[in-house]
Amino acid sequence: MIKLYGLPMSNYYSLAKALLIEKGAPFEEVKAPPTQEESNLVRTPMGKMPSIEVDGHYLSESLAIASFLEGAYPEPRLLPTDPFAAAKVMELCCHITLDVELVARRCLPEAFFGQSVSDETKAATDTDLQRGMRAVNRLMVCAPYAAGAELTLADFYTFYTFGLSGGIVQKIFGRDLLDGYDNIRGLMARLAEHPSIARVEAEKAG
Ligand SMILES: N[C@@H](CCC(=O)N[C@@H](CS)C(=O)NCC(=O)O)C(=O)O
């Protein structure tokens, strides 16, 4: 039985949970806030969530967790068998995370934690986000899924990144991150109804 550590409020935790459900992997959730305590750092060396425990061994980072699950539970596949097609999915995941999520997160302290970020940070975030969105959109297929005809790991990164990033952009800049990106907006709506994602969101709300 896999243990999933973290809190449902985390989009990365939710992503890992949706992947576990998608793969049909038996798991249990263990509430573990992000801390710098040794008991947490042994599981996740930056103290972040999520992490998982498999047969007494710990693994952090959502991409590493996804990689483990893909190997341990090959069906349903979330990466194409063709190596180049699989790498294209990973490329999309990287750009979504690095060029949208991590950029938007610069303003997370002000958007959701009552702190403030400088006007310079906001201006740079706005500029960099627009560039990141254009980059991601170049790779997005959205026909009907992020990377093409099949559901892949990129869909899970899409749903959980654009959910959080969109919330930050709305709060800080008062605009919709997906304005001009109706393809991604449509995909988000489809993914919200995908059973594993819908279950994670329902359990979070409940
Ligand atoms: N790159 C990590 C990011 C994980 C992450 O940033 N988790 C956030 C919650 S969504 C966290 O634990 N933040 C607390 C902290 O930064 O100390 C992953 O993909 O798993």
Side-chain angles (χ1 to χ4, degrees), residues 10-12 34 36 46-50 61-63 105 157:
S10 156
N11 61 329
Y12 286 111
Q36 294 300 307
M46 286 294 284
K48 297 185 181 188
M49 52 191 177
E61 285 296 325
S62 57
L63 209 48
R105 271 179 180 263
Y157 274 93

Side-chain angles (χ1 to χ4, degrees), residues 7 9-13 15 33-36 44 46-51 60-65 97 101-102 105 108 157 164:
L7 297 174
M9 64 181 286
S10 156
N11 61 329
Y12 286 111
Y13 176 94
L15 188 159
T35 72
Q36 294 300 307
T44 166
M46 286 294 284
K48 297 185 181 188
M49 52 191 177
S51 59
S60 62
E61 285 296 325
S62 57
L63 209 48
I65 292 168
T97 306
E101 165 107 21
L102 287 180
R105 271 179 180 263
L108 184 69
Y157 274 93
L164 177 74

Side-chain angles (χ1 to χ4, degrees), residues 49-70:
M49 52 191 177
S51 59
I52 62 169
E53 181 179 345
V54 184
D55 298 333
H57 301 288
Y58 298 121
L59 189 62
S60 62
E61 285 296 325
S62 57
L63 209 48
I65 292 168
S67 169
F68 161 71
L69 291 176
E70 190 67 12

